[in-house]
mmCIF file of all heavy atoms in Angstrom:
data_model
loop_
_atom_site.group_PDB
_atom_site.id
_atom_site.type_symbol
_atom_site.label_atom_id
_atom_site.label_comp_id
_atom_site.label_asym_id
_atom_site.label_seq_id
_atom_site.Cartn_x
_atom_site.Cartn_y
_atom_site.Cartn_z
ATOM 1 N N GLY A 1 10.826 -1.790 -2.452
ATOM 2 C CA GLY A 1 10.046 -0.510 -2.702
ATOM 3 C C GLY A 1 10.882 0.354 -3.701
ATOM 4 O O GLY A 1 10.652 1.556 -3.727
ATOM 5 N N HIS A 2 11.582 -0.290 -4.534
ATOM 6 C CA HIS A 2 12.466 0.594 -5.479
ATOM 7 C C HIS A 2 11.713 1.223 -6.615
ATOM 8 O O HIS A 2 11.957 2.342 -6.931
ATOM 9 C CB HIS A 2 13.505 -0.304 -6.121
ATOM 10 C CG HIS A 2 14.671 -0.525 -5.139
ATOM 11 N ND1 HIS A 2 15.686 -1.473 -5.314
ATOM 12 C CD2 HIS A 2 14.836 -0.129 -3.883
ATOM 13 C CE1 HIS A 2 16.439 -1.564 -4.294
ATOM 14 N NE2 HIS A 2 16.079 -0.698 -3.396
ATOM 15 N N ALA A 3 10.649 0.612 -6.988
ATOM 16 C CA ALA A 3 9.803 1.224 -8.038
ATOM 17 C C ALA A 3 8.960 2.449 -7.400
ATOM 18 O O ALA A 3 8.835 3.481 -7.981
ATOM 19 C CB ALA A 3 8.688 0.271 -8.560
ATOM 20 N N THR A 4 8.588 2.392 -6.133
ATOM 21 C CA THR A 4 7.973 3.415 -5.400
ATOM 22 C C THR A 4 9.052 4.564 -5.279
ATOM 23 O O THR A 4 8.669 5.702 -5.583
ATOM 24 C CB THR A 4 7.560 2.946 -4.022
ATOM 25 O OG1 THR A 4 6.651 1.875 -4.209
ATOM 26 C CG2 THR A 4 6.849 3.999 -3.311
ATOM 27 N N LEU A 5 10.207 4.350 -4.877
ATOM 28 C CA LEU A 5 11.295 5.380 -4.781
ATOM 29 C C LEU A 5 11.445 5.975 -6.111
ATOM 30 O O LEU A 5 11.852 7.136 -6.395
ATOM 31 C CB LEU A 5 12.432 4.709 -4.148
ATOM 32 C CG LEU A 5 12.539 4.402 -2.767
ATOM 33 C CD1 LEU A 5 13.791 3.716 -2.308
ATOM 34 C CD2 LEU A 5 12.267 5.508 -1.880
ATOM 35 N N GLY A 6 11.466 5.121 -7.197
ATOM 36 C CA GLY A 6 11.837 5.563 -8.529
ATOM 37 C C GLY A 6 10.737 6.468 -9.146
ATOM 38 O O GLY A 6 11.136 7.197 -10.105
ATOM 39 N N LEU A 7 9.565 6.483 -8.551
ATOM 40 C CA LEU A 7 8.467 7.344 -9.091
ATOM 41 C C LEU A 7 8.037 8.331 -8.063
ATOM 42 O O LEU A 7 7.345 9.321 -8.466
ATOM 43 C CB LEU A 7 7.352 6.409 -9.545
ATOM 44 C CG LEU A 7 7.556 5.521 -10.857
ATOM 45 C CD1 LEU A 7 6.397 4.680 -11.087
ATOM 46 C CD2 LEU A 7 7.830 6.420 -12.072
ATOM 47 N N LEU A 8 8.207 8.171 -6.845
ATOM 48 C CA LEU A 8 7.650 8.945 -5.754
ATOM 49 C C LEU A 8 8.725 9.397 -4.871
ATOM 50 O O LEU A 8 8.475 9.494 -3.658
ATOM 51 C CB LEU A 8 6.555 8.246 -5.001
ATOM 52 C CG LEU A 8 5.306 7.872 -5.881
ATOM 53 C CD1 LEU A 8 4.375 7.104 -4.876
ATOM 54 C CD2 LEU A 8 4.510 9.117 -6.285
ATOM 55 N N ALA A 9 9.908 9.812 -5.275
ATOM 56 C CA ALA A 9 10.964 10.092 -4.378
ATOM 57 C C ALA A 9 10.672 11.169 -3.448
ATOM 58 O O ALA A 9 11.224 11.266 -2.321
ATOM 59 C CB ALA A 9 12.338 10.242 -5.193
ATOM 60 N N ASP A 10 10.090 12.239 -4.033
ATOM 61 C CA ASP A 10 9.936 13.498 -3.364
ATOM 62 C C ASP A 10 8.488 13.657 -2.778
ATOM 63 O O ASP A 10 8.142 14.710 -2.233
ATOM 64 C CB ASP A 10 10.201 14.697 -4.238
ATOM 65 C CG ASP A 10 11.653 14.704 -4.674
ATOM 66 O OD1 ASP A 10 12.579 14.292 -3.966
ATOM 67 O OD2 ASP A 10 11.995 15.080 -5.826
ATOM 68 N N SER A 11 7.712 12.516 -2.687
ATOM 69 C CA SER A 11 6.349 12.732 -2.258
ATOM 70 C C SER A 11 6.405 12.627 -0.742
ATOM 71 O O SER A 11 7.326 12.203 -0.068
ATOM 72 C CB SER A 11 5.577 11.554 -2.898
ATOM 73 O OG SER A 11 5.407 11.707 -4.261
ATOM 74 N N THR A 12 5.210 12.896 -0.178
ATOM 75 C CA THR A 12 5.016 12.803 1.217
ATOM 76 C C THR A 12 5.012 11.432 1.648
ATOM 77 O O THR A 12 4.806 10.426 0.804
ATOM 78 C CB THR A 12 3.538 13.365 1.639
ATOM 79 O OG1 THR A 12 2.606 12.697 0.748
ATOM 80 C CG2 THR A 12 3.496 14.856 1.266
ATOM 81 N N PRO A 13 5.200 11.099 2.977
ATOM 82 C CA PRO A 13 5.375 9.676 3.459
ATOM 83 C C PRO A 13 4.020 8.926 3.124
ATOM 84 O O PRO A 13 2.933 9.441 3.053
ATOM 85 C CB PRO A 13 5.476 9.792 4.948
ATOM 86 C CG PRO A 13 6.083 11.217 5.128
ATOM 87 C CD PRO A 13 5.370 12.141 3.957
ATOM 88 N N LEU A 14 4.261 7.626 2.866
ATOM 89 C CA LEU A 14 3.186 6.734 2.426
ATOM 90 C C LEU A 14 2.386 6.410 3.636
ATOM 91 O O LEU A 14 2.976 6.002 4.679
ATOM 92 C CB LEU A 14 3.733 5.447 1.810
ATOM 93 C CG LEU A 14 4.545 5.667 0.565
ATOM 94 C CD1 LEU A 14 5.206 4.318 0.127
ATOM 95 C CD2 LEU A 14 3.735 6.225 -0.617
ATOM 96 N N THR A 15 1.134 6.517 3.554
ATOM 97 C CA THR A 15 0.189 6.131 4.737
ATOM 98 C C THR A 15 -0.245 4.684 4.567
ATOM 99 O O THR A 15 -0.564 4.025 5.522
ATOM 100 C CB THR A 15 -0.949 7.086 4.802
ATOM 101 O OG1 THR A 15 -1.672 7.037 3.480
ATOM 102 C CG2 THR A 15 -0.494 8.522 5.149
ATOM 103 N N GLN A 16 -0.536 4.265 3.280
ATOM 104 C CA GLN A 16 -0.936 2.891 2.988
ATOM 105 C C GLN A 16 -0.209 2.380 1.815
ATOM 106 O O GLN A 16 0.019 3.075 0.748
ATOM 107 C CB GLN A 16 -2.469 2.881 2.690
ATOM 108 C CG GLN A 16 -3.299 3.025 3.958
ATOM 109 C CD GLN A 16 -4.733 2.762 3.671
ATOM 110 O OE1 GLN A 16 -5.406 3.247 2.731
ATOM 111 N NE2 GLN A 16 -5.487 1.904 4.396
ATOM 112 N N THR A 17 0.121 1.085 1.829
ATOM 113 C CA THR A 17 0.751 0.378 0.740
ATOM 114 C C THR A 17 0.243 -0.893 0.440
ATOM 115 O O THR A 17 -0.851 -1.266 0.936
ATOM 116 C CB THR A 17 2.323 0.275 1.188
ATOM 117 O OG1 THR A 17 2.240 -0.714 2.336
ATOM 118 C CG2 THR A 17 2.942 1.557 1.682
ATOM 119 N N MET A 18 0.783 -1.670 -0.460
ATOM 120 C CA MET A 18 0.352 -3.017 -0.863
ATOM 121 C C MET A 18 0.184 -3.917 0.424
ATOM 122 O O MET A 18 -0.580 -4.869 0.515
ATOM 123 C CB MET A 18 1.266 -3.570 -1.839
ATOM 124 C CG MET A 18 1.148 -2.880 -3.202
ATOM 125 S SD MET A 18 -0.450 -3.070 -3.936
ATOM 126 C CE MET A 18 -0.773 -4.823 -4.071
ATOM 127 N N TYR A 19 1.078 -3.722 1.390
ATOM 128 C CA TYR A 19 1.021 -4.537 2.606
ATOM 129 C C TYR A 19 -0.345 -4.268 3.221
ATOM 130 O O TYR A 19 -0.949 -5.382 3.714
ATOM 131 C CB TYR A 19 2.151 -4.029 3.518
ATOM 132 C CG TYR A 19 1.931 -4.463 4.999
ATOM 133 C CD1 TYR A 19 2.365 -5.804 5.267
ATOM 134 C CD2 TYR A 19 1.495 -3.750 5.930
ATOM 135 C CE1 TYR A 19 2.213 -6.338 6.583
ATOM 136 C CE2 TYR A 19 1.386 -4.229 7.278
ATOM 137 C CZ TYR A 19 1.669 -5.562 7.639
ATOM 138 O OH TYR A 19 1.546 -5.986 8.845
ATOM 139 N N ASP A 20 -0.867 -3.057 3.424
ATOM 140 C CA ASP A 20 -2.122 -2.846 3.984
ATOM 141 C C ASP A 20 -3.373 -3.554 3.311
ATOM 142 O O ASP A 20 -4.251 -4.025 3.863
ATOM 143 C CB ASP A 20 -2.322 -1.382 4.119
ATOM 144 C CG ASP A 20 -1.333 -0.665 4.972
ATOM 145 O OD1 ASP A 20 -1.453 -0.755 6.103
ATOM 146 O OD2 ASP A 20 -0.433 0.107 4.375
ATOM 147 N N VAL A 21 -3.180 -3.545 1.981
ATOM 148 C CA VAL A 21 -4.275 -4.093 1.028
ATOM 149 C C VAL A 21 -4.243 -5.718 1.359
ATOM 150 O O VAL A 21 -5.312 -6.270 1.489
ATOM 151 C CB VAL A 21 -4.084 -3.873 -0.308
ATOM 152 C CG1 VAL A 21 -5.077 -4.576 -1.218
ATOM 153 C CG2 VAL A 21 -4.104 -2.353 -0.565
ATOM 154 N N PHE A 22 -3.000 -6.349 1.304
ATOM 155 C CA PHE A 22 -3.009 -7.721 1.498
ATOM 156 C C PHE A 22 -3.413 -8.106 2.995
ATOM 157 O O PHE A 22 -4.197 -9.167 3.185
ATOM 158 C CB PHE A 22 -1.550 -8.199 1.353
ATOM 159 C CG PHE A 22 -1.243 -8.430 -0.266
ATOM 160 C CD1 PHE A 22 -0.207 -7.737 -0.696
ATOM 161 C CD2 PHE A 22 -2.029 -9.172 -0.999
ATOM 162 C CE1 PHE A 22 0.212 -7.954 -2.075
ATOM 163 C CE2 PHE A 22 -1.727 -9.402 -2.361
ATOM 164 C CZ PHE A 22 -0.667 -8.741 -2.906
ATOM 165 N N MET A 23 -3.090 -7.289 3.894
ATOM 166 C CA MET A 23 -3.450 -7.759 5.313
ATOM 167 C C MET A 23 -4.886 -7.486 5.564
ATOM 168 O O MET A 23 -5.596 -8.323 6.159
ATOM 169 C CB MET A 23 -2.670 -6.689 6.261
ATOM 170 C CG MET A 23 -1.210 -7.080 6.399
ATOM 171 S SD MET A 23 -0.891 -8.712 6.920
ATOM 172 C CE MET A 23 -1.611 -8.548 8.670
ATOM 173 N N GLN A 24 -5.503 -6.437 4.922
ATOM 174 C CA GLN A 24 -6.919 -6.223 5.110
ATOM 175 C C GLN A 24 -7.588 -7.603 4.396
ATOM 176 O O GLN A 24 -8.693 -8.087 4.920
ATOM 177 C CB GLN A 24 -7.471 -5.046 4.449
ATOM 178 C CG GLN A 24 -7.025 -3.780 5.151
ATOM 179 C CD GLN A 24 -7.305 -2.575 4.325
ATOM 180 O OE1 GLN A 24 -8.119 -2.550 3.482
ATOM 181 N NE2 GLN A 24 -6.608 -1.510 4.581
ATOM 182 N N ARG A 25 -7.104 -7.940 3.193
ATOM 183 C CA ARG A 25 -7.825 -9.046 2.650
ATOM 184 C C ARG A 25 -7.627 -10.366 3.382
ATOM 185 O O ARG A 25 -8.489 -11.112 3.450
ATOM 186 C CB ARG A 25 -7.208 -9.269 1.172
ATOM 187 C CG ARG A 25 -7.945 -10.246 0.283
ATOM 188 C CD ARG A 25 -7.578 -10.083 -1.199
ATOM 189 N NE ARG A 25 -8.394 -10.960 -1.982
ATOM 190 C CZ ARG A 25 -9.655 -10.702 -2.409
ATOM 191 N NH1 ARG A 25 -10.094 -9.482 -2.054
ATOM 192 N NH2 ARG A 25 -10.299 -11.508 -3.160
ATOM 193 N N ALA A 26 -6.437 -10.616 3.923
ATOM 194 C CA ALA A 26 -6.116 -11.713 4.813
ATOM 195 C C ALA A 26 -7.041 -11.790 5.963
ATOM 196 O O ALA A 26 -7.394 -12.948 6.385
ATOM 197 C CB ALA A 26 -4.687 -11.783 5.104
ATOM 198 N N ALA A 27 -7.437 -10.679 6.497
ATOM 199 C CA ALA A 27 -8.370 -10.573 7.566
ATOM 200 C C ALA A 27 -9.769 -10.749 7.212
ATOM 201 O O ALA A 27 -10.771 -10.646 8.188
ATOM 202 C CB ALA A 27 -8.116 -9.230 8.399
ATOM 203 N N GLY A 28 -10.110 -10.734 5.952
ATOM 204 C CA GLY A 28 -11.487 -11.002 5.508
ATOM 205 C C GLY A 28 -12.218 -9.659 5.303
ATOM 206 O O GLY A 28 -13.486 -9.751 5.137
ATOM 207 N N HIS A 29 -11.516 -8.577 5.301
ATOM 208 C CA HIS A 29 -12.182 -7.262 5.133
ATOM 209 C C HIS A 29 -12.222 -6.961 3.615
ATOM 210 O O HIS A 29 -11.616 -7.536 2.846
ATOM 211 C CB HIS A 29 -11.464 -6.205 5.875
ATOM 212 C CG HIS A 29 -11.328 -6.406 7.411
ATOM 213 N ND1 HIS A 29 -12.442 -6.762 8.127
ATOM 214 C CD2 HIS A 29 -10.227 -6.444 8.217
ATOM 215 C CE1 HIS A 29 -12.017 -6.815 9.369
ATOM 216 N NE2 HIS A 29 -10.669 -6.647 9.485
ATOM 217 N N ASP A 30 -12.971 -5.907 3.271
ATOM 218 C CA ASP A 30 -13.073 -5.411 2.031
ATOM 219 C C ASP A 30 -11.881 -4.567 1.523
ATOM 220 O O ASP A 30 -11.666 -3.511 2.055
ATOM 221 C CB ASP A 30 -14.372 -4.522 1.810
ATOM 222 C CG ASP A 30 -14.482 -4.014 0.423
ATOM 223 O OD1 ASP A 30 -13.966 -4.732 -0.561
ATOM 224 O OD2 ASP A 30 -15.172 -3.094 0.232
ATOM 225 N N ALA A 31 -11.025 -5.242 0.777
ATOM 226 C CA ALA A 31 -9.754 -4.576 0.532
ATOM 227 C C ALA A 31 -9.675 -4.173 -0.891
ATOM 228 O O ALA A 31 -10.110 -4.864 -1.906
ATOM 229 C CB ALA A 31 -8.459 -5.576 0.547
ATOM 230 N N ARG A 32 -9.499 -2.731 -1.195
ATOM 231 C CA ARG A 32 -9.524 -2.292 -2.468
ATOM 232 C C ARG A 32 -8.081 -1.621 -2.889
ATOM 233 O O ARG A 32 -7.557 -0.850 -2.033
ATOM 234 C CB ARG A 32 -10.665 -1.198 -2.575
ATOM 235 C CG ARG A 32 -11.934 -1.727 -2.217
ATOM 236 C CD ARG A 32 -12.932 -0.640 -2.455
ATOM 237 N NE ARG A 32 -12.576 0.677 -1.759
ATOM 238 C CZ ARG A 32 -13.290 1.836 -1.920
ATOM 239 N NH1 ARG A 32 -14.270 1.991 -2.743
ATOM 240 N NH2 ARG A 32 -12.956 2.839 -1.255
ATOM 241 N N LEU A 33 -7.715 -1.959 -4.084
ATOM 242 C CA LEU A 33 -6.388 -1.384 -4.570
ATOM 243 C C LEU A 33 -6.465 0.026 -4.678
ATOM 244 O O LEU A 33 -5.467 0.775 -4.409
ATOM 245 C CB LEU A 33 -6.073 -2.082 -5.923
ATOM 246 C CG LEU A 33 -4.603 -2.051 -6.361
ATOM 247 C CD1 LEU A 33 -3.729 -2.768 -5.354
ATOM 248 C CD2 LEU A 33 -4.550 -2.783 -7.742
#
């Protein structure tokens, strides 16, 4: 997650990430970037 840290160092905690998108897609759900 270094690119994330390099652009969002002072932002609020992440609630969803690329992990969530891939997991939703793997489960057959409608995953949107």
Side-chain angles (χ1 to χ4, degrees):
H2 287 170
T4 302
L5 289 173
L7 291 175
L8 296 175
D10 297 327
S11 295
T12 55
L14 301 171
T15 55
Q16 287 190 309
T17 66
M18 289 300 297
Y19 167 79
D20 298 285
V21 178
F22 281 125
M23 287 301 294
Q24 291 172 22
R25 189 166 186 83
H29 301 310
D30 182 23
R32 300 186 307 170
L33 203 58

